[in-house]
Amino acid sequence: MATSPGARGHGVSGVGPRTREGKTPTLYDVARLAGVSTATVSRVLHGHDRVSEATRERVREVIDELGYVPDGAAQSLSRRRKEVIGLVTVARETKQYDVESMSLLFWDEVLHGVEARLRDHGWSLLITFLPTEGGGDHLERLASLSGKVDGLLIGEGMIPSARLARLAERVPIVVIAGAPDERAVDVVVADNYSGTAALVTHLVVEHGLRRLYHVDGPESAPDARERRRALEAVLASTPGGTLVGSRRGTFSVQSGEEAAQELLRDVDRLPDAVVCANDQMAIGVLQAFARAGVRVPADVAVVGFDDIYPGGLSDPPLTTVHQPMRLLGERACARMLEHLAHPDLRPALEMLPAELVLRSSCGCDPDAATRRPVPRVKAKRAGRRPSGVAG
Amino acid sequence: MATSPGARGHGVSGVGPRTREGKTPTLYDVARLAGVSTATVSRVLHGHDRVSEATRERVREVIDELGYVPDGAAQSLSRRRKEVIGLVTVARETKQYDVESMSLLFWDEVLHGVEARLRDHGWSLLITFLPTEGGGDHLERLASLSGKVDGLLIGEGMIPSARLARLAERVPIVVIAGAPDERAVDVVVADNYSGTAALVTHLVVEHGLRRLYHVDGPESAPDARERRRALEAVLASTPGGTLVGSRRGTFSVQSGEEAAQELLRDVDRLPDAVVCANDQMAIGVLQAFARAGVRVPADVAVVGFDDIYPGGLSDPPLTTVHQPMRLLGERACARMLEHLAHPDLRPALEMLPAELVLRSSCGCDPDAATRRPVPRVKAKRAGRRPSGVAG
DNA sequence: ATGACTCGTCTAAGCGCTTACACTAAGGTT
DNA sequence: AACCTTAGTGTAAGCGCTTAGACGAGTCAT
């Protein structure tokens, strides 16, 4: 019992710190050098069972001396849990900062939220950015990813809904900022509907603006869809509320500029306000208006959605709705951990409150920029999920 | 041979897609269902050896049907390689965007660079953000991290140099934006010296500015050290070049404001230019000057370093030196992969060229903002590493 | 035929942990 | 004195893969 615990075929050499030349020390090395079994070392490592103080001490010393660190792969395999979750979002390829690339900060912010929550639990975060354009081998990358993690957090629009369901058979999945009517997987999303409703209501009630123009997002974007529905609902219940025009953009600054130009050309009388489906397009509108000599907010108000950084710096500063990006990440992560703890949990929708950010492009006092929580409003028509956290 | 390959004790059930109820299918399941050995399945999986077309086909079918994906932990363990590398940088805790938090985008950008390179090789990225203040258990987190990855990319300032050396015994390490005189580990860093030299030379030669004030970074920051040395060197070799004053800041906007206030108070004649060790402080200086009615660049020029996003939006737009953040990440990653391929590679220093970004805070024409590559200049005094990529 | 190869496949030994279970010695109970 | 606990430790069977080596069956030149 004293000196010959099973060395398991490992070539033994001197008693120097690194026992098997050049190799990283393993649990067996520690056990051998401490004159105990691997079980005991493992117990010491995890503060588990009752191990005598003396033994514990001895093992600790050897661990220290060897600089031993348990191998993650072996632990994962043995525990049947990797304590790693994966995050899949958009790759940012640009070398230069610009408003466009800043919008991708959305995901960086989400990432930080996820990591913070994960860190609390001692788990790790595996990152994968997928280029949005060229389809191709993504499926394969995702499959291989799913073998390396316990769960997958996926950004909206990264993967078609059908594939999601398939993937979800292997690992739990939480979609971030996804469509609120997704059913097969968990979704954590900002309350786009209520946010836009609050914003438009602000325009209508506090600034008396009634004739609105809408710069919509792409057809495929679920968030843009929600925002549009809210706009229409508020307008419908406002006496005199009119949608004087609308145009679809691509969420880019340029498409915002184009929308503004078209608006300027086609409409003989300016609307009271231009409501854009995101901040980038609002910034584009602002730029086009500035060039055309249209004053904002004097001649027309302009508002966006998301609260990306450059919006606070534009001229005039953009009124918008804040997406709780960091929180989105944190909640998605929290849901995932719950899921792993209770594998029989049914997928649900979690909707996070947005926040109104009143700067001056809507006509508010520039010096009194404020943030204001957005109350939850129920969407009028169906299409929502019947059950879930969202109630 | 037809139907009873070793099932290895796994309880067999129906022939439905998921063979052992509820369990994720393993290589053994595939092998059994395809009527071949695990070795063969493995070969098919990796396109390896010669496997007959018929067998290959059959195995592929079963894999598909089962939705089988190899377990990453098991693969890592068996291959003795995880194909995962870790990145350790600063945690961003703020909920709000501001200039300060934008500076942390530096690391987000590095992250994207790392991921892009890693993606090319099919490896994965494990992220860990460390809060910079509260010391504590970081050491433990890092140790545990080192068991989960094949190599570690570490941001400058995250870990004291002494610990680095210890860590480096276990896994290869590349420090990003680290001190150029680190010897125990690889370092990838921007050419702070040449960048600053070019910037100051621009001030001196093209704008005829000779009396400079320096807002330095913290003593501990190696990059600030390099920048200061370059400033002094250029000044020393300039007839009439004088450092009229200097103050240490903390790299924050506020410390920049304070420096400017002190400057305004203590100096009876404004310097020709204020050279700041980073952009945040330069922005602080700009703000303080604006409040004090000092015109930039008419009364005094102000320049920064890093090229963070808000610098392009300040008034006047900030002239600065661009750090190749994304490239920093890419190169660090590339070095790491080389290291893993050739474990006997000696640690070296890789210095990346910076770029001059001429906007208008230095006195350049605002409409002619330009970027200009920075030629490599040799530092005057010693203290550099004798060998390595840096030559 | 026979040996020498080649192909395609299988067997089984790891990889470095965790952990159920078995075991021993010492102390406590009746 | 016989039996039961309990604390402390060891044994060994996995976890799901990879891969060196063995093997049987063709092929082919001798």
Side-chain angles (χ1 to χ4, degrees):
Chain A
M1 191 243 244
T3 50
S4 64
R8 217 194 180 203
H10 290 323
V12 182
S13 62
V15 196
R18 351 212 86 212
T19 336
R20 295 161 307 131
E21 290 313 312
K23 303 272 190 169
T24 357
T26 73
L27 191 66
Y28 285 94
D29 297 320
V30 177
R32 182 158 33 79
L33 259 45
V36 300
S37 76
T38 60
T40 300
V41 178
S42 183
R43 288 187 197 112
V44 170
L45 231 31
H46 303 297
H48 256 339
D49 275 301
R50 35 293 183 85
V51 176
S52 79
E53 201 44 58
T55 310
R56 187 183 303 280
E57 192 54 34
R58 192 149 29 98
V59 172
R60 285 249 172 80
E61 270 166 22
V62 175
I63 289 180
D64 253 38
E65 183 192 355
L66 251 42
Y68 167 76
V69 172
D71 180 84
Q75 288 188 311
S76 302
L77 183 56
S78 185
R79 295 181 182 157
R80 246 139 300 174
R81 173 146 292 186
K82 307 182 176 57
E83 308 212 331
V84 172
I85 82 125
L87 173 64
V88 182
T89 66
V90 202
R92 184 187 333 141
E93 304 291 359
T94 18
K95 315 245 170 209
Q96 221 74 44
Y97 277 149
D98 55 20
V99 178
E100 228 57 86
S101 72
M102 292 315 272
S103 70
L104 294 176
L105 295 181
F106 185 99
W107 295 112
D108 287 333
E109 200 59 28
V110 168
L111 191 163
H112 279 267
V114 171
E115 200 276 346
R117 190 49 79 256
L118 229 38
R119 198 195 308 156
D120 296 343
H121 293 253
W123 288 39
S124 306
L125 215 209
L126 207 58
I127 296 289
T128 301
F129 298 133
L130 257 32
T132 32
E133 347 76 40
D137 47 325
H138 292 188
L139 323 159
E140 200 174 337
R141 288 198 68 209
L142 277 176
S144 114
L145 222 201
S146 76
K148 297 182 169 181
V149 301
D150 292 322
L152 239 27
L153 268 26
I154 303 187
E156 136 71 16
M158 300 311 299
I159 305 175
S161 185
R163 294 220 175 283
L164 272 185
R166 183 87 204 269
L167 249 188
E169 286 173 15
R170 282 194 48 77
V171 280
I173 289 189
V174 176
V175 174
I176 301 179
D181 47 358
E182 178 68 62
R183 276 149 197 285
V185 297
D186 261 289
V187 175
V188 174
V189 63
D191 192 346
N192 288 294
Y193 189 94
S194 303
T196 301
L199 178 61
V200 176
T201 303
H202 170 76
L203 257 25
V204 167
V205 173
E206 295 177 49
H207 296 294
L209 309 176
R210 292 199 151 62
R211 303 176 53 257
L212 310 185
Y213 186 93
H214 183 46
V215 182
D216 202 351
E219 200 152 2
S220 59
D223 38 4
R225 222 148 50 217
E226 290 294 300
R227 294 170 197 170
R228 166 158 208 129
R229 285 181 41 228
L231 168 68
E232 286 169 349
V234 173
L235 238 31
S237 65
T238 300
T242 333
L243 189 65
V244 300
S246 161
R247 185 184 207 263
R248 236 182 234 303
T250 63
F251 274 159
S252 72
V253 175
Q254 202 195 333
S255 72
E257 297 187 40
E258 289 165 8
Q261 284 158 6
E262 190 182 278
L263 165 66
L264 256 20
R265 180 162 18 90
D266 295 355
V267 181
D268 38 295
R269 180 176 153 214
L270 278 177
D272 294 341
V274 177
V275 177
C276 305
N278 79 346
D279 283 353
Q280 282 92 311
M281 295 197 294
I283 288 172
V285 169
L286 243 28
Q287 290 174 355
F289 279 175
R291 271 200 304 279
V294 175
R295 294 165 309 157
V296 176
D299 300 335
V300 55
V302 175
V303 298
F305 200 109
D306 280 351
D307 192 24
I308 65 174
Y309 179 71
L313 269 28
S314 64
D315 179 28
L318 192 65
T319 284
T320 186
V321 178
H322 178 76
Q323 288 239 34
M325 303 170 260
R326 196 190 167 82
L327 192 61
L328 235 25
E330 291 184 14
R331 290 304 309 154
C333 186
R335 278 210 77 74
M336 175 56 72
L337 291 170
E338 267 175 66
H339 251 297
L340 293 171
H342 312 285
D344 45 348
L345 223 59
R346 302 204 33 235
L349 170 71
E350 178 165 345
M351 210 174 262
L352 269 29
E355 205 180 26
L356 214 49
V357 179
L358 301 174
R359 293 195 276 244
S360 51
S361 71
C362 61
C364 277
D365 177 3
D367 295 329
T370 51
R371 319 190 117 241
R372 199 185 278 182
V374 165
R376 180 74 184 279
V377 281
K378 199 90 185 195
K380 289 289 162 54
R381 78 167 161 84
R384 304 285 202 110
R385 149 173 348 203
S387 77
V389 171
Chain B
M1 192 243 245
T3 49
S4 64
R8 220 195 178 202
H10 290 323
V12 180
S13 63
V15 197
R18 354 212 84 214
T19 336
R20 294 160 307 130
E21 290 314 312
K23 303 270 191 171
T24 356
T26 73
L27 192 66
Y28 286 92
D29 296 321
V30 177
R32 183 159 32 81
L33 259 46
V36 300
S37 75
T38 60
T40 300
V41 178
S42 183
R43 286 188 200 109
V44 171
L45 231 31
H46 304 296
H48 257 339
D49 275 299
R50 34 295 183 83
V51 177
S52 80
E53 201 44 57
T55 310
R56 186 182 305 279
E57 192 54 33
R58 191 150 30 98
V59 172
R60 285 248 171 79
E61 270 166 22
V62 176
I63 289 181
D64 254 37
E65 182 193 355
L66 251 41
Y68 167 75
V69 173
D71 180 83
Q75 286 187 313
S76 302
L77 183 57
S78 185
R79 294 180 181 156
R80 247 139 301 175
R81 173 146 292 186
K82 308 182 175 55
E83 308 211 332
V84 173
I85 81 127
L87 174 64
V88 181
T89 66
V90 202
R92 191 197 315 152
E93 304 292 359
T94 17
K95 315 245 167 204
Q96 221 74 43
Y97 277 149
D98 56 21
V99 178
E100 227 57 86
S101 72
M102 292 315 272
S103 71
L104 295 177
L105 295 181
F106 185 99
W107 294 112
D108 287 333
E109 199 60 28
V110 168
L111 191 163
H112 279 268
V114 171
E115 200 276 346
R117 191 49 80 250
L118 228 39
R119 197 195 309 157
D120 296 344
H121 293 253
W123 287 39
S124 305
L125 215 209
L126 208 58
I127 296 289
T128 300
F129 298 133
L130 257 32
T132 33
E133 347 76 40
D137 48 327
H138 293 187
L139 323 160
E140 200 174 336
R141 288 198 69 211
L142 277 175
S144 113
L145 223 200
S146 77
K148 297 182 169 180
V149 301
D150 292 322
L152 239 27
L153 268 25
I154 303 188
E156 136 70 15
M158 301 311 299
I159 304 175
S161 184
R163 294 220 177 283
L164 272 185
R166 183 88 203 270
L167 249 188
E169 285 172 13
R170 282 194 49 78
V171 280
I173 289 190
V174 176
V175 174
I176 302 179
D181 46 359
E182 178 68 63
R183 275 149 198 286
V185 298
D186 262 288
V187 174
V188 174
V189 63
D191 193 345
N192 287 294
Y193 189 95
S194 303
T196 302
L199 179 60
V200 177
T201 301
H202 170 76
L203 256 27
V204 168
V205 173
E206 294 176 50
H207 296 295
L209 309 176
R210 293 199 150 61
R211 303 177 54 259
L212 310 186
Y213 186 93
H214 184 45
V215 182
D216 203 350
E219 201 152 3
S220 59
D223 38 4
R225 222 148 50 218
E226 291 293 299
R227 294 170 197 171
R228 166 160 206 126
R229 286 180 43 228
L231 169 67
E232 288 169 348
V234 173
L235 237 31
S237 66
T238 301
T242 332
L243 189 64
V244 300
S246 162
R247 184 186 208 262
R248 232 181 239 304
T250 63
F251 273 162
S252 73
V253 175
Q254 203 196 331
S255 72
E257 297 186 40
E258 288 166 8
Q261 284 157 5
E262 190 183 278
L263 166 65
L264 256 19
R265 179 162 19 90
D266 296 355
V267 181
D268 39 295
R269 180 177 154 212
L270 278 177
D272 294 340
V274 177
V275 178
C276 304
N278 80 346
D279 283 352
Q280 282 94 311
M281 297 197 293
I283 288 172
V285 169
L286 244 28
Q287 291 175 355
F289 279 175
R291 272 200 304 278
V294 175
R295 293 164 309 157
V296 176
D299 299 334
V300 54
V302 174
V303 297
F305 200 109
D306 279 351
D307 191 23
I308 66 174
Y309 180 71
L313 270 27
S314 64
D315 178 28
L318 192 65
T319 284
T320 186
V321 178
H322 177 76
Q323 286 240 35
M325 304 170 259
R326 196 190 168 82
L327 192 60
L328 234 26
E330 291 184 14
R331 289 305 307 154
C333 187
R335 280 209 76 74
M336 175 57 71
L337 292 170
E338 267 175 65
H339 251 298
L340 292 171
H342 312 285
D344 45 348
L345 224 57
R346 302 206 29 237
L349 170 71
E350 179 164 344
M351 209 174 263
L352 269 28
E355 206 180 28
L356 214 49
V357 179
L358 301 174
R359 293 196 273 244
S360 50
S361 71
C362 61
C364 277
D365 177 4
D367 296 330
T370 51
R371 320 189 116 242
R372 199 185 280 183
V374 165
R376 180 73 184 280
V377 281
K378 201 86 184 199
K380 288 289 162 52
R381 79 169 161 85
R384 303 290 201 107
R385 150 172 348 201
S387 77
V389 171

